[in-house]
């Protein structure tokens, strides 16, 4: 829990107006992935003992297409995992229809 809170505190320190991160479950890798509209994606896996063993990590993001600043109101439900494409999809700008796709390590699309 402490690791999760420390990571979230770091994220919200950069973007205090964010009121909600999007969270999705990656079925291929068995982990939860969170995104707050910036370049950072956070991951956590479900431990066998739910009261201990939670750890959070940050996925590497590179390239010019990673969003620098997303939605003003928070991501909330606008972030999903596509099992068929094996990537994470986030809505960056709903008015312009801008969607960001993140391909994780060992990317293995089915389509």
């Amino acid at each position: 829990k402490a690791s999760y809170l420390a990571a979230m505190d770091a994220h919200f320190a950069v973007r205090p107006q964010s009121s909600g991160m999007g969270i999705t479950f990656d079925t291929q890798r068995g982990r939860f992935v969170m995104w707050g509209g910036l370049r950072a994606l956070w991951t956590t896996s479900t431990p066998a003992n739910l009261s201990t063993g939670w750890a959070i990590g940050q996925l590497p993001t590179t390239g010019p297409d990673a969003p620098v600043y997303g939605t003003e109101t928070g991501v909330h439900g606008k972030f999903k995992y596509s099992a068929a494409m094996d990537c994470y999809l986030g809505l960056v700008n709903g008015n312009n229809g801008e969607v960001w796709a993140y391909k994780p390590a060992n990317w293995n699309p089915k389509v």
Side-chain angles (χ1 to χ4, degrees):
K1 184 175 179 180
S3 297
Y4 172 82
L5 293 176
M8 294 303 103
D9 285 345
H11 177 77
F12 290 117
V14 173
R15 188 166 175 221
Q17 69 272 24
S18 177
S19 61
M21 294 186 83
I23 184 168
T24 191
F25 187 73
D26 182 337
T27 54
Q28 184 161 324
R29 292 163 191 83
R31 65 184 179 192
F32 290 96
V33 180
M34 297 157 282
W35 179 58
L38 296 172
R39 297 176 67 97
L41 286 129
W42 301 95
T43 64
T44 188
S45 299
T46 308
N49 179 349
L50 295 178
S51 63
T52 62
W54 289 90
I56 192 158
Q58 187 174 354
L59 293 176
T61 52
T62 58
D65 295 333
V68 176
Y69 197 77
T71 176
E72 292 280 334
T73 60
V75 173
H76 301 288
K78 299 177 289 268
F79 179 63
K80 303 291 180 196
Y81 172 70
S82 169
M85 294 187 293
D86 189 28
C87 68
Y88 312 114
L89 301 168
L91 182 64
V92 177
N93 185 319
N95 294 325
N96 296 334
E98 295 172 24
V99 176
W100 180 52
Y102 178 90
K103 297 185 297 187
N106 302 317
W107 181 56
N108 186 24
K110 295 171 183 48
V111 292

